[in-house]
Amino acid sequence: MAESVKKKVVLLGATGSIGTSTLRVLRAHSDRLELVGVAAHSSHNELAAICAEFHVPHATLSSEAAYTAAKAGGNFPSSTQLHCSDAGLLEVSTLPEADIVLVAVVGACGLKPTLAAIEAGKDIALANKELLVLGGAFVIEAAKRNGVRLLPTDSEHNAIFQCIEGHSHAHLQKLILTASGGQFRDTPLEQLAHVTPADATQHPNWSMGPKITVDSATMANKGLELIEAQWLFGLEPDRLEVVIHPQSIVHSFAQFIDGSILAQLSPPSMTFAIQHCLLYPDRALGVDATTDFSKALQLDFKAPEIARFPCLQLAYDAMRTSGSAPAIFNAANEIAVDRFLAHELAYLDIPRVIEHALSVVNAAPATNLEALLQVDAEARNVASSFTSTAR
Ligand code: NAD
Ligand code: MG
Protein backbone atom coordinates (compact mmCIF):
# COMPACT_ATOMS: atom_id res chain seq x y z
CA MET A 1 0.00 0.00 0.00
CA ALA A 2 1.41 3.43 -0.90
CA GLU A 3 2.50 5.80 1.88
CA SER A 4 -0.13 8.37 0.90
CA VAL A 5 -3.08 6.10 1.69
CA LYS A 6 -2.05 5.27 5.24
CA LYS A 7 -4.87 5.99 7.67
CA LYS A 8 -3.78 8.69 10.13
CA VAL A 9 -4.64 7.85 13.70
CA VAL A 10 -4.88 9.94 16.89
CA LEU A 11 -4.77 7.91 20.10
CA LEU A 12 -6.23 9.51 23.24
CA GLY A 13 -5.12 7.53 26.31
CA ALA A 14 -2.00 6.16 24.64
CA THR A 15 -0.31 5.02 27.85
CA GLY A 16 -3.25 3.02 29.24
CA SER A 17 -4.37 -0.55 28.74
CA ILE A 18 -6.33 0.09 25.52
CA GLY A 19 -3.57 2.46 24.41
CA THR A 20 -0.95 -0.29 24.80
CA SER A 21 -3.07 -2.80 22.85
CA THR A 22 -3.57 -0.17 20.15
CA LEU A 23 0.19 0.31 19.84
CA ARG A 24 0.52 -3.44 19.17
CA VAL A 25 -2.00 -3.14 16.33
CA LEU A 26 -0.18 -0.08 14.96
CA ARG A 27 3.19 -1.91 15.04
CA ALA A 28 1.73 -4.84 13.12
CA HIS A 29 0.06 -2.66 10.49
CA SER A 30 2.53 0.17 10.04
CA ASP A 31 2.03 -0.17 6.28
CA ARG A 32 -1.62 0.93 6.67
CA LEU A 33 -1.77 3.01 9.85
CA GLU A 34 0.23 6.02 11.00
CA LEU A 35 0.12 7.58 14.45
CA VAL A 36 -0.12 11.37 14.15
CA GLY A 37 -1.19 12.36 17.69
CA VAL A 38 -1.18 10.94 21.19
CA ALA A 39 -2.58 12.04 24.54
CA ALA A 40 -2.09 10.94 28.13
CA HIS A 41 -2.80 12.41 31.52
CA SER A 42 0.51 12.38 33.41
CA SER A 43 2.76 9.48 32.28
CA HIS A 44 5.18 11.67 30.36
CA ASN A 45 8.08 9.22 30.18
CA GLU A 46 5.86 6.54 28.62
CA LEU A 47 4.35 9.09 26.23
CA ALA A 48 7.81 10.30 25.20
CA ALA A 49 8.87 6.70 24.46
CA ILE A 50 5.78 6.24 22.25
CA CYS A 51 6.56 9.47 20.38
CA ALA A 52 10.14 8.31 19.79
CA GLU A 53 9.14 4.84 18.58
CA PHE A 54 6.29 5.95 16.30
CA HIS A 55 7.72 9.36 15.25
CA VAL A 56 4.54 11.06 16.47
CA PRO A 57 4.39 14.74 15.48
CA HIS A 58 1.87 15.84 18.18
CA ALA A 59 1.52 14.82 21.81
CA THR A 60 -0.34 16.26 24.76
CA LEU A 61 -0.32 15.84 28.53
CA SER A 62 -3.45 16.88 30.40
CA SER A 63 -1.58 17.29 33.66
CA GLU A 64 0.24 20.63 33.68
CA ALA A 65 2.69 19.31 36.30
CA ALA A 66 3.57 16.42 34.00
CA TYR A 67 3.95 18.82 31.06
CA THR A 68 6.35 20.98 33.09
CA ALA A 69 8.33 17.90 34.15
CA ALA A 70 8.44 16.66 30.55
CA LYS A 71 9.70 20.03 29.29
CA ALA A 72 12.38 20.07 32.00
CA GLY A 73 13.35 16.45 31.35
CA GLY A 74 13.67 17.02 27.62
CA ASN A 75 13.06 13.40 26.69
CA PHE A 76 10.44 14.01 23.99
CA PRO A 77 11.94 13.89 20.48
CA SER A 78 12.56 17.36 19.04
CA SER A 79 10.24 16.44 16.15
CA THR A 80 7.27 16.06 18.53
CA GLN A 81 5.29 19.17 19.32
CA LEU A 82 4.18 18.86 22.96
CA HIS A 83 0.85 20.40 23.98
CA CYS A 84 -0.83 20.49 27.38
CA SER A 85 -4.01 20.80 29.44
CA ASP A 86 -7.58 20.73 28.08
CA ALA A 87 -6.65 22.98 25.16
CA GLY A 88 -3.88 20.57 24.13
CA LEU A 89 -6.26 17.63 24.26
CA LEU A 90 -8.69 19.46 21.97
CA GLU A 91 -5.88 20.44 19.62
CA VAL A 92 -4.61 16.87 19.25
CA SER A 93 -8.18 15.54 18.87
CA THR A 94 -8.80 17.82 15.89
CA LEU A 95 -5.46 17.67 14.02
CA PRO A 96 -6.24 18.57 10.37
CA GLU A 97 -4.30 15.57 9.05
CA ALA A 98 -6.06 12.97 11.23
CA ASP A 99 -8.58 10.52 9.77
CA ILE A 100 -9.65 8.67 12.90
CA VAL A 101 -9.47 9.33 16.65
CA LEU A 102 -9.36 6.35 19.00
CA VAL A 103 -10.79 7.50 22.31
CA ALA A 104 -9.25 5.44 25.10
CA VAL A 105 -9.01 7.96 27.93
CA VAL A 106 -10.89 6.82 31.00
CA GLY A 107 -13.98 8.62 32.27
CA ALA A 108 -16.24 11.47 31.26
CA CYS A 109 -13.23 13.70 30.43
CA GLY A 110 -13.42 12.07 26.99
CA LEU A 111 -16.65 13.85 26.05
CA LYS A 112 -15.39 17.28 24.95
CA PRO A 113 -12.43 16.03 22.86
CA THR A 114 -14.69 13.46 21.19
CA LEU A 115 -17.31 16.08 20.32
CA ALA A 116 -14.54 18.33 18.98
CA ALA A 117 -13.12 15.50 16.86
CA ILE A 118 -16.59 14.75 15.46
CA GLU A 119 -17.16 18.42 14.61
CA ALA A 120 -13.79 18.37 12.84
CA GLY A 121 -15.08 15.49 10.70
CA LYS A 122 -12.97 12.70 12.19
CA ASP A 123 -14.17 9.12 12.40
CA ILE A 124 -14.22 7.91 16.00
CA ALA A 125 -13.17 4.53 17.38
CA LEU A 126 -14.83 4.56 20.76
CA ALA A 127 -13.34 2.50 23.58
CA ASN A 128 -14.40 4.97 26.26
CA LYS A 129 -17.98 4.24 27.35
CA GLU A 130 -18.40 6.85 30.08
CA LEU A 131 -18.59 9.71 27.60
CA LEU A 132 -21.46 8.06 25.74
CA VAL A 133 -23.33 7.36 28.98
CA LEU A 134 -22.90 11.01 29.92
CA GLY A 135 -23.47 12.67 26.58
CA GLY A 136 -24.85 10.04 24.19
CA ALA A 137 -27.58 12.32 22.81
CA PHE A 138 -25.02 14.97 21.86
CA VAL A 139 -22.48 12.52 20.47
CA ILE A 140 -24.96 10.62 18.29
CA GLU A 141 -26.51 13.83 16.97
CA ALA A 142 -23.11 15.36 16.16
CA ALA A 143 -21.89 12.17 14.46
CA LYS A 144 -25.01 12.06 12.25
CA ARG A 145 -24.81 15.75 11.41
CA ASN A 146 -21.13 15.53 10.47
CA GLY A 147 -21.45 12.21 8.64
CA VAL A 148 -18.67 10.58 10.67
CA ARG A 149 -18.43 6.94 11.69
CA LEU A 150 -18.75 5.99 15.33
CA LEU A 151 -16.97 2.64 15.45
CA PRO A 152 -17.63 0.66 18.65
CA THR A 153 -14.33 -0.51 20.15
CA ASP A 154 -15.66 -1.81 23.47
CA SER A 155 -15.51 -5.58 22.85
CA GLU A 156 -19.24 -6.28 23.37
CA HIS A 157 -20.35 -3.44 21.12
CA ASN A 158 -17.75 -4.31 18.55
CA ALA A 159 -19.09 -7.87 18.56
CA ILE A 160 -22.65 -6.62 18.08
CA PHE A 161 -21.54 -4.22 15.36
CA GLN A 162 -19.97 -7.16 13.51
CA CYS A 163 -23.08 -9.36 14.04
CA ILE A 164 -25.67 -6.85 12.86
CA GLU A 165 -23.80 -5.39 9.91
CA GLY A 166 -25.80 -5.98 6.73
CA HIS A 167 -29.00 -6.81 8.64
CA SER A 168 -32.12 -4.67 8.79
CA HIS A 169 -32.68 -2.95 12.14
CA ALA A 170 -36.33 -4.02 11.88
CA HIS A 171 -35.18 -7.66 11.99
CA LEU A 172 -33.29 -7.22 15.26
CA GLN A 173 -35.11 -8.59 18.32
CA LYS A 174 -32.61 -8.03 21.11
CA LEU A 175 -28.97 -7.74 22.06
CA ILE A 176 -27.41 -9.97 24.68
CA LEU A 177 -24.21 -8.60 26.20
CA THR A 178 -21.84 -11.12 27.71
CA ALA A 179 -20.11 -10.34 31.02
CA SER A 180 -17.27 -12.22 32.66
CA GLY A 181 -18.90 -11.67 36.06
CA GLY A 182 -15.60 -10.23 37.26
CA GLN A 183 -13.34 -11.46 40.00
CA PHE A 184 -16.07 -11.92 42.64
CA ARG A 185 -18.57 -13.86 40.55
CA ASP A 186 -18.25 -16.90 42.87
CA THR A 187 -17.18 -15.18 46.10
CA PRO A 188 -19.61 -15.86 48.98
CA LEU A 189 -21.81 -12.74 49.25
CA GLU A 190 -20.91 -12.17 52.94
CA GLN A 191 -17.23 -11.78 51.99
CA LEU A 192 -17.89 -8.89 49.60
CA ALA A 193 -17.95 -6.44 52.54
CA HIS A 194 -14.23 -7.08 53.05
CA VAL A 195 -13.02 -6.74 49.47
CA THR A 196 -9.96 -4.45 49.16
CA PRO A 197 -8.82 -2.27 46.22
CA ALA A 198 -5.98 -4.76 45.65
CA ASP A 199 -8.53 -7.61 45.32
CA ALA A 200 -10.81 -5.58 43.07
CA THR A 201 -8.13 -4.55 40.57
CA GLN A 202 -7.25 -8.13 39.56
CA HIS A 203 -9.36 -9.52 36.72
CA PRO A 204 -9.48 -13.24 35.91
CA ASN A 205 -9.59 -12.86 32.09
CA TRP A 206 -8.78 -9.34 31.00
CA SER A 207 -5.80 -7.08 31.67
CA MET A 208 -7.34 -3.60 31.97
CA GLY A 209 -6.98 -0.27 33.75
CA PRO A 210 -7.96 -0.06 37.44
CA LYS A 211 -11.29 1.77 37.01
CA ILE A 212 -12.81 -0.64 34.51
CA THR A 213 -11.49 -3.62 36.49
CA VAL A 214 -13.42 -2.46 39.57
CA ASP A 215 -16.42 -1.74 37.31
CA SER A 216 -16.23 -5.33 36.05
CA ALA A 217 -16.36 -6.65 39.60
CA THR A 218 -19.44 -4.58 40.50
CA MET A 219 -20.88 -4.98 36.98
CA ALA A 220 -21.30 -1.20 36.85
CA ASN A 221 -19.26 -1.80 33.69
CA LYS A 222 -22.04 -3.91 32.18
CA GLY A 223 -24.54 -1.28 33.30
CA LEU A 224 -22.55 1.40 31.47
CA GLU A 225 -22.35 -0.92 28.47
CA LEU A 226 -26.14 -1.41 28.39
CA ILE A 227 -26.53 2.37 28.18
CA GLU A 228 -23.74 2.50 25.60
CA ALA A 229 -25.61 -0.16 23.55
CA GLN A 230 -28.82 1.83 23.80
CA TRP A 231 -27.12 4.82 22.16
CA LEU A 232 -25.12 2.89 19.58
CA PHE A 233 -27.83 0.48 18.45
CA GLY A 234 -31.08 2.28 19.28
CA LEU A 235 -32.87 -0.44 21.29
CA GLU A 236 -35.00 0.16 24.37
CA PRO A 237 -33.88 -1.31 27.77
CA ASP A 238 -36.24 -4.31 27.58
CA ARG A 239 -34.44 -5.50 24.47
CA LEU A 240 -30.98 -5.34 26.07
CA GLU A 241 -29.92 -8.30 28.20
CA VAL A 242 -26.85 -9.48 30.06
CA VAL A 243 -25.56 -13.02 30.42
CA ILE A 244 -22.57 -14.14 32.47
CA HIS A 245 -20.00 -15.97 30.37
CA PRO A 246 -16.93 -16.63 32.52
CA GLN A 247 -14.57 -17.55 29.64
CA SER A 248 -14.93 -14.16 27.80
CA ILE A 249 -14.71 -15.79 24.37
CA VAL A 250 -18.18 -14.92 23.08
CA HIS A 251 -18.17 -11.12 23.17
CA SER A 252 -21.95 -10.66 22.70
CA PHE A 253 -24.98 -11.91 20.78
CA ALA A 254 -27.51 -10.35 18.41
CA GLN A 255 -30.88 -12.08 18.32
CA PHE A 256 -33.14 -11.62 15.30
CA ILE A 257 -36.96 -11.79 15.17
CA ASP A 258 -36.91 -15.31 13.72
CA GLY A 259 -34.99 -16.55 16.76
CA SER A 260 -31.59 -16.83 15.08
CA ILE A 261 -28.77 -15.65 17.31
CA LEU A 262 -25.39 -14.51 15.95
CA ALA A 263 -22.26 -14.21 18.07
CA GLN A 264 -18.70 -12.96 17.64
CA LEU A 265 -15.91 -15.01 19.21
CA SER A 266 -12.24 -14.32 19.87
CA PRO A 267 -9.90 -14.67 22.86
CA PRO A 268 -10.05 -11.98 25.57
CA SER A 269 -7.70 -9.46 23.98
CA MET A 270 -8.81 -5.99 22.93
CA THR A 271 -6.57 -6.09 19.84
CA PHE A 272 -9.35 -7.81 17.85
CA ALA A 273 -11.87 -5.00 18.37
CA ILE A 274 -9.24 -2.24 18.07
CA GLN A 275 -7.91 -3.59 14.78
CA HIS A 276 -11.41 -4.09 13.42
CA CYS A 277 -12.17 -0.40 14.06
CA LEU A 278 -8.86 1.01 12.84
CA LEU A 279 -8.82 -0.94 9.58
CA TYR A 280 -12.61 -0.81 9.05
CA PRO A 281 -14.02 -1.72 6.60
CA ASP A 282 -10.88 -3.67 5.65
CA ARG A 283 -9.51 -6.70 7.51
CA ALA A 284 -6.01 -8.08 7.92
CA LEU A 285 -4.13 -10.73 9.90
CA GLY A 286 -4.78 -10.24 13.64
CA VAL A 287 -1.95 -9.59 16.10
CA ASP A 288 -3.09 -12.28 18.58
CA ALA A 289 -3.84 -15.91 17.86
CA THR A 290 -7.55 -16.61 17.70
CA THR A 291 -9.65 -19.26 19.45
CA ASP A 292 -8.38 -22.77 18.71
CA PHE A 293 -11.13 -25.40 18.52
CA SER A 294 -8.63 -28.25 18.29
CA LYS A 295 -8.11 -27.78 22.05
CA ALA A 296 -10.83 -28.56 24.60
CA LEU A 297 -12.97 -25.47 25.01
CA GLN A 298 -15.84 -24.91 27.36
CA LEU A 299 -18.28 -22.04 27.00
CA ASP A 300 -20.66 -21.46 29.93
CA PHE A 301 -23.56 -19.01 30.24
CA LYS A 302 -25.76 -18.10 33.18
CA ALA A 303 -28.03 -15.24 34.24
CA PRO A 304 -26.49 -12.65 36.61
CA GLU A 305 -27.72 -12.61 40.25
CA ILE A 306 -29.04 -9.15 41.06
CA ALA A 307 -28.16 -9.56 44.78
CA ARG A 308 -24.49 -9.83 43.83
CA PHE A 309 -24.60 -7.05 41.23
CA PRO A 310 -26.87 -4.24 42.46
CA CYS A 311 -25.10 -1.80 40.09
CA LEU A 312 -26.63 -3.68 37.18
CA GLN A 313 -30.16 -3.12 38.49
CA LEU A 314 -29.33 0.55 39.15
CA ALA A 315 -28.19 0.91 35.53
CA TYR A 316 -31.46 -0.57 34.24
CA ASP A 317 -33.34 1.81 36.56
CA ALA A 318 -31.32 4.76 35.22
CA MET A 319 -31.97 3.71 31.61
CA ARG A 320 -35.71 3.47 32.27
CA THR A 321 -35.78 6.84 34.08
CA SER A 322 -33.76 8.23 31.11
CA GLY A 323 -33.21 12.04 30.98
CA SER A 324 -30.03 12.71 32.96
CA ALA A 325 -30.25 9.56 35.11
CA PRO A 326 -27.57 7.67 33.11
CA ALA A 327 -25.25 10.70 33.49
CA ILE A 328 -25.87 10.66 37.26
CA PHE A 329 -25.22 6.91 37.38
CA ASN A 330 -21.91 7.38 35.59
CA ALA A 331 -20.67 10.38 37.58
CA ALA A 332 -21.55 8.78 40.93
CA ASN A 333 -19.85 5.56 39.91
CA GLU A 334 -16.66 7.35 38.79
CA ILE A 335 -16.41 9.12 42.16
CA ALA A 336 -17.35 6.01 44.14
CA VAL A 337 -14.65 3.95 42.39
CA ASP A 338 -12.03 6.68 42.93
CA ARG A 339 -12.95 6.85 46.61
CA PHE A 340 -12.93 3.07 46.96
CA LEU A 341 -9.47 2.89 45.33
CA ALA A 342 -8.32 5.61 47.76
CA HIS A 343 -9.57 3.46 50.69
CA GLU A 344 -12.19 6.08 51.60
CA LEU A 345 -15.18 3.84 50.94
CA ALA A 346 -15.93 0.13 51.22
CA TYR A 347 -16.56 -1.98 48.13
CA LEU A 348 -20.25 -2.34 48.98
CA ASP A 349 -20.57 1.44 49.24
CA ILE A 350 -20.19 1.75 45.46
CA PRO A 351 -23.85 0.86 44.67
CA ARG A 352 -24.97 2.87 47.74
CA VAL A 353 -23.29 6.00 46.37
CA ILE A 354 -24.93 5.52 42.97
CA GLU A 355 -28.36 4.88 44.48
CA HIS A 356 -28.02 7.94 46.71
CA ALA A 357 -26.99 10.19 43.80
CA LEU A 358 -29.85 8.88 41.64
CA SER A 359 -32.30 9.63 44.44
CA VAL A 360 -31.19 13.22 45.14
CA VAL A 361 -29.97 14.69 41.84
CA ASN A 362 -32.67 15.94 39.45
CA ALA A 363 -32.73 13.66 36.40
CA ALA A 364 -34.64 16.04 34.10
CA PRO A 365 -33.22 15.86 30.56
CA ALA A 366 -30.45 18.40 29.86
CA THR A 367 -31.22 20.43 26.75
CA ASN A 368 -27.66 21.60 26.18
CA LEU A 369 -24.13 20.44 26.95
CA GLU A 370 -23.51 23.00 29.71
CA ALA A 371 -26.67 21.89 31.56
CA LEU A 372 -25.57 18.28 31.21
CA LEU A 373 -22.11 19.04 32.59
CA GLN A 374 -23.81 20.80 35.53
CA VAL A 375 -25.78 17.64 36.31
CA ASP A 376 -22.52 15.66 36.06
CA ALA A 377 -20.82 18.08 38.48
CA GLU A 378 -23.73 17.96 40.91
CA ALA A 379 -23.76 14.15 40.92
CA ARG A 380 -19.99 14.18 41.56
CA ASN A 381 -20.48 16.58 44.52
CA VAL A 382 -23.20 14.41 46.01
CA ALA A 383 -21.07 11.27 45.56
CA SER A 384 -18.00 12.99 47.03
CA SER A 385 -19.83 13.92 50.21
CA PHE A 386 -21.48 10.52 50.69
CA THR A 387 -20.53 9.13 54.08
CA SER A 388 -19.97 5.43 54.36
CA THR A 389 -22.37 3.57 56.60
CA ALA A 390 -20.20 0.46 56.38
CA ARG A 391 -17.31 1.59 58.59
P1 NAD B 1 -6.31 3.04 31.76
O1 NAD B 1 -6.53 3.59 33.12
O2 NAD B 1 -5.42 1.86 31.60
O3 NAD B 1 -5.75 4.18 30.79
C1 NAD B 1 -6.33 5.45 30.71
C2 NAD B 1 -5.56 6.32 29.75
O4 NAD B 1 -6.21 7.59 29.69
C3 NAD B 1 -4.12 6.61 30.18
O5 NAD B 1 -3.32 6.72 29.01
C4 NAD B 1 -4.22 7.98 30.87
O6 NAD B 1 -3.02 8.70 30.83
C5 NAD B 1 -5.27 8.62 29.98
N1 NAD B 1 -6.02 9.70 30.64
C6 NAD B 1 -6.74 9.63 31.78
N2 NAD B 1 -7.30 10.83 32.05
C7 NAD B 1 -6.92 11.67 31.04
C8 NAD B 1 -7.13 13.03 30.75
N3 NAD B 1 -7.87 13.82 31.55
N4 NAD B 1 -6.57 13.54 29.61
C9 NAD B 1 -5.82 12.77 28.78
N5 NAD B 1 -5.57 11.47 29.03
C10 NAD B 1 -6.11 10.93 30.14
O7 NAD B 1 -7.77 2.72 31.16
P2 NAD B 1 -8.18 1.60 30.10
O8 NAD B 1 -8.45 0.33 30.79
O9 NAD B 1 -7.27 1.63 28.92
O10 NAD B 1 -9.61 2.14 29.66
C11 NAD B 1 -9.78 3.28 28.84
C12 NAD B 1 -11.23 3.41 28.42
O11 NAD B 1 -11.57 2.28 27.59
C13 NAD B 1 -12.22 3.37 29.58
O12 NAD B 1 -13.29 4.22 29.29
C14 NAD B 1 -12.68 1.92 29.62
O13 NAD B 1 -13.99 1.78 30.14
C15 NAD B 1 -12.66 1.57 28.15
N6 NAD B 1 -12.46 0.13 27.87
C16 NAD B 1 -11.33 -0.48 28.30
C17 NAD B 1 -11.13 -1.83 28.06
C18 NAD B 1 -9.86 -2.52 28.49
O14 NAD B 1 -9.68 -3.69 28.13
N7 NAD B 1 -8.97 -1.90 29.20
C19 NAD B 1 -12.11 -2.55 27.37
C20 NAD B 1 -13.25 -1.88 26.94
C21 NAD B 1 -13.41 -0.54 27.18
MG1 MG C 1 -16.64 -4.16 27.37
Side-chain angles (χ1 to χ4, degrees):
M1 198 178 274
E3 283 281 312
S4 57
V5 295
K6 279 188 188 179
K7 210 181 264 185
K8 295 189 171 52
V9 179
V10 168
L11 175 55
L12 308 183
T15 58
S17 162
I18 291 281
T20 304
S21 294
T22 304
L23 298 177
R24 293 183 57 219
V25 171
L26 293 171
R27 273 185 203 105
H29 299 293
S30 57
D31 56 331
R32 295 162 183 249
L33 300 169
E34 180 183 343
L35 194 55
V36 295
V38 286
H41 181 244
S42 58
S43 347
H44 57 93
N45 290 326
E46 290 90 329
L47 198 66
I50 293 167
C51 290
E53 179 186 348
F54 291 87
H55 308 288
V56 189
H58 292 274
T60 189
L61 286 159
S62 295
S63 153
E64 302 213 5
Y67 172 78
T68 308
K71 280 288 191 191
N75 53 356
F76 273 82
S78 56
S79 55
T80 301
Q81 197 178 333
L82 188 60
H83 310 259
C84 83
S85 69
D86 290 351
L89 190 56
L90 290 180
E91 178 127 16
V92 169
S93 305
T94 55
L95 289 174
E97 62 269 39
D99 299 306
I100 184 164
V101 178
L102 197 154
V103 186
V105 295
V106 58
C109 70
L111 180 59
K112 281 189 174 172
T114 301
L115 285 172
I118 292 173
E119 296 296 350
K122 313 301 178 193
D123 282 340
I124 305 292
L126 195 62
N128 175 302
K129 59 200 79 179
E130 295 91 347
L131 75 89
L132 210 51
V133 174
L134 169 61
F138 298 94
V139 174
I140 300 293
E141 183 278 325
K144 279 200 181 123
R145 183 164 37 78
N146 288 283
V148 307
R149 282 180 176 139
L150 214 51
L151 296 158
T153 313
D154 203 350
S155 55
E156 296 75 6
H157 307 75
N158 184 265
I160 292 165
F161 176 52
Q162 296 197 44
C163 292
I164 66 176
E165 194 167 31
H167 293 272
S168 158
H169 195 268
H171 291 161
L172 195 57
Q173 178 71 37
K174 63 182 177 186
L175 301 175
I176 305 153
L177 276 67
T178 52
S180 68
Q183 47 281 58
F184 308 130
R185 62 186 171 223
D186 300 316
T187 305
L189 286 180
E190 60 279 9
Q191 286 179 23
L192 293 181
H194 310 293
V195 158
T196 66
D199 302 328
T201 44
Q202 302 296 323
H203 197 278
N205 306 358
W206 297 91
S207 159
M208 309 184 287
K211 195 257 176 183
I212 185 176
T213 306
V214 176
D215 285 351
S216 295
T218 62
M219 274 179 78
N221 182 52
K222 214 49 54 179
L224 295 170
E225 290 183 354
L226 287 167
I227 302 164
E228 185 186 8
Q230 195 181 21
W231 285 117
L232 288 172
F233 306 115
L235 291 192
E236 59 272 25
D238 293 345
R239 290 162 70 194
L240 298 170
E241 291 181 7
V242 172
V243 64
I244 293 198
H245 167 45
Q247 292 87 2
S248 300
I249 302 259
V250 175
H251 296 296
S252 280
F253 299 103
Q255 181 174 321
F256 295 88
I257 51 176
D258 57 2
S260 276
I261 299 177
L262 299 190
Q264 183 268 344
L265 284 73
S266 51
S269 160
M270 289 304 295
T271 59
F272 294 93
I274 292 166
Q275 176 168 319
H276 179 254
C277 292
L278 289 184
L279 295 185
Y280 186 84
D282 204 358
R283 289 192 188 251
L285 189 66
V287 300
D288 286 307
T290 195
T291 306
D292 179 359
F293 290 98
S294 71
K295 300 196 177 110
L297 177 66
Q298 192 174 332
L299 301 177
D300 298 305
F301 302 95
K302 67 171 184 179
E305 310 155 63
I306 285 299
R308 184 180 295 277
F309 301 114
C311 291
L312 193 57
Q313 183 60 51
L314 289 167
Y316 271 114
D317 295 347
M319 272 201 292
R320 291 191 176 110
T321 306
S322 81
S324 298
I328 298 166
F329 175 93
N330 177 65
N333 180 59
E334 282 193 39
I335 296 295
V337 172
D338 275 354
R339 294 185 64 198
F340 165 66
L341 290 174
H343 300 266
E344 285 175 30
L345 291 178
Y347 176 76
L348 291 179
D349 284 328
I350 296 172
R352 293 186 187 120
V353 172
I354 300 172
E355 188 170 19
H356 176 62
L358 282 169
S359 70
V360 302
V361 181
N362 185 345
T367 48
N368 60 55
L369 190 59
E370 285 320 306
L372 179 71
L373 294 176
Q374 251 172 30
V375 174
D376 175 79
E378 194 186 338
R380 282 169 201 269
N381 281 339
V382 166
S384 300
S385 54
F386 178 89
T387 314
S388 175
T389 47
R391 348 177 121 179

